[in-house]
Amino acid sequence: MSKTTQLIHSIPVDPLTGSISVPIYQTSTFVQDAPGEHKGYDYARSNNPTRAVLENVIAELEHGAAGFAFASGLAAIDAVVKLLQSGDEILAVDDIYGGAFRLFTHVYRKFGITVNYVDTTDASNVTAAITPKTRLVWLETPTNPTLKISDIKAIAQIAHANGSLLCVDNTFASPALQQPIDLGADIVVHSATKYLGGHSDLIAGLVVTATDELGSEIKFIQNASGAILAPHDSWLVIRGIETLHLRVAEHSRNALEVARYLQGHEAVEQVYYPGLAEHHNHDVALRQQGAGGGVVSFVLKSDTAESAKQLVCSTQLFKLAESLGGVKSLVCHPATMTHKSIPAEKRREAGVADSLVRLSVGLEDVADLIADLEQALRKTGQHKYSVQQEAILY
Ligand SMILES: *Cc1c(COP(=O)(O)O)cnc(C)c1O
């Protein structure tokens, strides 16, 4: 059976009524026959039938043992960090999601958990930086926003040889392209706000564990800390997942065309897209995820925050907003938006240039998207000219 067919039918028909759409159990509690005697559900923080469907579907999609749904991607990441204790170290990809950096640095450091950042695109950097205290290796691949690719299989071997867990934030690739657990990861996290939800209409996070043992630890933390996903939002993610493979295939096709267009543009210095043959780890990307996904980033020749800001304010179809993975195309300027919580020096070190622009390529007709970028880039050229004139005047 094809992946798509399997996916669509992994979402069950309601056994009670035959409802083809998963019912939304909007309830806080469940009536018991006698104390402790119930139908598998007692209190909706611990378990909810709508959320349970989503948790089973994501576990299946990611080829894991157990899945868990949280109120946001960051709540999912937070649950994974709670597996650690004071004195433990995290070894993380340097080009990490800004919110994960903020959580690690400004929340967990004071509890005695330290984080070292390395360029994981070369697995030997992980070997060099891993220590006996490294309890968790943290990867994003592709990364946000410079689309760096790391070799999950190679890094899983290094982590396991050291007795460390490997967690992969699989938000950008989504399980439509990449299953990190098949490559050796112990845990996968998602911001389901992005491709899994797919319609820019909710905030949600997911954790999938490779084993039942890790699953029961996450289950305990999910119930103990309580950052669960609500039933209606669980239902929205389930509905998004129904079209995940179709959407991600089309996002990837559009994004590849946009990346090729930008590569040929005179105002563009560099394009980051794993689907381009010129990408640093294109071969690993092909092996690991097949298609390149829907996010493309690029740096302007005139590398100033001003020129990037002018550009992101000039697009019409690409709406200026944080987030990605929705039907409508989005544009953002990471240095002043998603990555503003990372100190400028650290940000630049990780390759997030001042003029870096990130596109979430949507499902519009790609010719219209390219025309939109063309008119915006032309305007940016004019801006560059006027800035130079000003410099001459003063
Ligand atoms: C958006 C995002 C997150 C955080 O998810 P929220 O749902 O916004 O909390 C984590 N990792 C990556 C890669 C993201 O893009």
Side-chain angles (χ1 to χ4, degrees), residues 174-291:
S174 92
L177 299 180
Q178 173 171 278
Q179 273 99 5
I181 288 173
D182 286 351
L183 302 168
D186 303 285
I187 306 169
V188 168
V189 299
H190 277 286
S191 169
T193 310
K194 318 291 169 54
Y195 289 102
L196 289 163
H199 293 75
S200 311
D201 53 9
L202 71 120
I203 299 284
L206 299 165
V207 175
V208 179
T209 59
T211 63
D212 286 325
E213 292 72 34
L214 269 176
S216 37
E217 286 190 62
I218 295 287
K219 173 86 199 163
F220 181 84
I221 291 164
Q222 183 194 39
N223 186 50
S225 291
I228 46 138
L229 191 64
H232 185 258
D233 287 348
S234 298
W235 180 83
L236 279 170
V237 179
I238 294 166
R239 195 173 68 158
I241 286 175
E242 285 185 330
T243 55
L244 177 72
H245 285 83
L246 277 174
R247 286 185 288 104
V248 170
E250 190 62 17
H251 281 298
S252 298
R253 259 195 297 276
N254 278 357
L256 180 60
E257 285 209 40
V258 165
R260 286 191 175 136
Y261 156 76
L262 289 168
Q263 221 178 10
H265 200 287
E266 56 183 9
V268 174
E269 176 69 28
Q270 193 170 0
V271 180
Y272 300 107
Y273 186 65
L276 290 175
E278 291 78 5
H279 186 281
H280 174 57
N281 271 346
H282 178 61
D283 56 331
V284 182
L286 275 188
R287 197 166 66 228
Q288 239 169 225
Q289 61 179 78

Side-chain angles (χ1 to χ4, degrees), residues 71-77 96-97 99-100 140 142-144 169-172 189-194 202-205 323-324 358:
S72 70
L74 274 171
I77 294 171
I96 196 168
Y97 175 71
E140 283 175 38
T143 60
N144 176 27
D169 183 333
N170 201 27
T171 298
F172 270 45
V189 299
H190 277 286
S191 169
T193 310
K194 318 291 169 54
L202 71 120
I203 299 284
S323 200
L324 55 109
R358 186 187 77 188

